[in-house]
Amino acid sequence: MLYWMGYPPNYWVNNWCPWIISNVLNVCAMTVTDRDEWERVVQISLTGLDRFVRMYEEDGACDEGPAYWCSAGGSLYNACLVLRDMTGGRWNPFDHPLMRSLSVNPTSMQKGIGNEI
C-alpha cells in the first residue's frame, strides 16, 4: 500500500511523499530508457505530488516543524525541478505561489505574531 502517497484516497499525505518521489524521479531520469515506463513513473509522481500539495499550507511551512522542511518542501522543490528537466520545461510549476513560499519559508520563521526572524 502506498499510504505515503495518499493511497487509499484521502489518506493523510506527509513529507515521505515528496521525499520518496524525488528520489524515484532522479533514478528514473538517469536509468529508465523505455518511454512507456518513463511516462508511467512521471504520471504516478505527479498524482502523488498533487495530493501532497493540496494538503500543504500556503505559507510553505512544514506542519512537522522547520527541521522537516528539507524532507517536505525541499523534496517537493527537488521533485519539481527534476520533473521540469525530464519534460524539457513543458511542465514548470515554479511560477506557482506555493513554490515561492517554499523557497522563502526557511528564512521567515515566526517566534509569534508579528515577530518574524
Side-chain angles (χ1 to χ4, degrees):
M1 181 184 318
L2 301 174
Y3 67 89
W4 53 269
M5 234 169 93
Y7 294 105
N10 300 320
Y11 195 86
W12 183 72
V13 181
N14 61 23
N15 65 41
W16 284 67
C17 181
W19 181 57
I20 292 171
I21 288 174
S22 69
N23 287 302
V24 168
L25 287 169
N26 277 297
V27 171
C28 178
M30 293 184 284
T31 63
V32 174
T33 57
D34 179 82
R35 184 69 180 182
D36 290 337
E37 184 179 352
W38 183 91
E39 288 178 0
R40 191 170 139 253
V41 169
V42 168
Q43 185 58 50
I44 291 169
S45 297
L46 286 170
T47 299
L49 293 174
D50 184 57
R51 287 180 175 161
F52 177 76
V53 166
R54 281 191 259 146
M55 297 184 74
Y56 217 81
E57 296 295 329
E58 291 179 14
D59 65 359
C62 178
D63 64 354
E64 295 177 271
Y68 278 91
W69 182 89
C70 288
S71 299
S75 291
L76 174 63
Y77 197 88
N78 181 64
C80 290
L81 184 63
V82 174
L83 279 165
R84 186 196 66 189
D85 291 350
M86 288 175 75
T87 62
R90 290 184 307 275
W91 187 82
N92 185 359
F94 292 104
D95 288 335
H96 192 281
L98 176 62
M99 298 309 288
R100 184 180 186 309
S101 294
L102 286 169
S103 67
V104 299
N105 180 269
T107 61
S108 63
M109 298 182 303
Q110 286 191 342
K111 296 186 329 185
I113 296 173
N115 294 314
E116 295 185 355
I117 46 176

